Amino acid sequence: MNFQKTNIEWVKYLQLMQERPHLFLPNPDYCFVTSENEVIEFEAISNRTIGVLYESCDNILLADLILHNGQLLVYERLVPMIPQEHILAIPIFNDNFLLFQKFHHGIRTYQTCFPHGFMKIGYTAKEYAIKLIEDTLGKCVVSTLYLGNIDTNDNLYNTSTAIFAVKIENIIQPNTYIHHIEHSTICELTEKTFHDFIHNQYIKDSYTIAAYAMYCNTKELYLQKNKYHAFFTKGVSL
């Protein structure tokens, strides 16, 4: 017997599949199950709901029914209501790194990190990387360098983050003392101190650590090609 699912969670799910197919790319090992008969049967047995479980102005919570190794599994994930690119800026001042103290609601604490956030409508990625810094430090950016993208996947929220190194000048010297880190909004770190901060777990933000690894790799490549120092020449924008 064929059934027709008409619950709002499923109707919105099918609509989302049509509107944003990139969220439902096929994979032979993890197959989306969209047969209504199979979904109805699974929901009856498991007491789970498949589809769009929640919507806000920011995010959509999905429950996908996935076939993997002959088993039916439910994967929950958050996707942004409006597709937005995530941007991270690596502020470089006097050949050192500036890190900001930011409160992250998900873990309910402050973290020492490079500034990052979802790009607002009306900006390019480069413009938003500059905004992330100048909103705090004022007009100070003299050059930028796009390093690449990193994909973040915590099984619930997945996004791609564009990484920019941003050279800044003409700001008040930030606090550089480690024992003041919890009381300052900005700290300036040498490369060695950056390593020490990671080792001592003063820096635990995954975006920051991943971006730093990309920066070091790009730096090495540019040094090999004798191009790296062009980025640190005033007025040069790459």
Side-chain angles (χ1 to χ4, degrees), residues 7-202:
N7 59 302
I8 190 64
E9 295 89 352
W10 183 250
V11 171
K12 287 186 175 182
Y13 189 75
L14 295 181
Q15 182 179 354
L16 192 65
M17 291 183 73
Q18 292 183 335
E19 293 175 350
R20 297 164 70 175
H22 65 280
L23 296 176
F24 301 89
L25 296 176
N27 183 288
D29 298 321
Y30 294 84
C31 301
F32 287 99
V33 177
T34 56
S35 164
E36 292 194 354
N37 284 349
E38 291 183 67
V39 173
I40 289 171
E41 182 178 354
F42 178 84
E43 288 181 332
I45 294 172
S46 65
N47 198 30
R48 300 285 298 270
T49 299
I50 304 301
V52 174
L53 304 185
Y54 171 80
E55 290 179 294
S56 72
C57 59
D58 297 316
N59 295 301
I60 305 171
L61 176 61
L62 304 179
D64 302 302
L65 185 58
I66 301 296
L67 179 64
H68 174 62
N69 289 339
Q71 287 188 304
L72 290 175
L73 307 170
V74 178
Y75 281 79
E76 292 184 358
R77 55 181 171 147
L78 279 173
V79 298
M81 176 63 74
I82 300 173
Q84 296 171 297
E85 188 171 11
H86 193 245
I87 309 296
L88 181 144
I90 301 176
I92 299 171
F93 179 64
N94 292 335
D95 292 337
N96 295 329
F97 302 98
L98 295 187
L99 288 99
F100 295 12
Q101 288 283 300
K102 296 292 184 181
F103 184 80
H104 290 159
H105 174 69
I107 57 175
R108 300 298 300 159
T109 190
Y110 287 90
Q111 285 192 307
T112 305
C113 59
F114 293 136
H116 55 83
F118 284 100
M119 185 169 65
K120 301 295 189 294
I121 295 174
Y123 290 89
T124 65
K126 175 181 173 179
E127 288 170 345
Y128 199 71
I130 294 172
K131 175 178 169 60
L132 285 171
I133 293 174
E134 293 192 340
D135 277 356
T136 300
L137 301 178
K139 191 169 181 60
C140 60
V141 172
V142 294
S143 60
T144 64
L145 176 64
Y146 170 67
L147 302 180
N149 275 56
I150 56 174
D151 293 331
T152 52
N153 176 15
D154 59 8
N155 290 324
L156 181 62
Y157 204 94
N158 307 282
T159 188
S160 183
T161 301
I163 310 297
F164 288 84
V166 181
K167 182 188 176 185
I168 61 180
E169 291 183 353
N170 302 321
I171 63 169
I172 298 174
Q173 182 75 8
N175 170 33
T176 59
Y177 295 102
I178 187 171
H179 61 274
H180 287 156
I181 186 170
E182 294 184 1
H183 305 289
S184 60
T185 57
I186 303 170
C187 58
E188 180 182 357
L189 305 180
T190 65
E191 192 165 326
K192 181 185 182 305
T193 308
F194 198 104
H195 291 173
D196 292 340
F197 268 44
I198 294 176
H199 177 74
N200 293 316
Q201 293 201 310
Y202 289 110

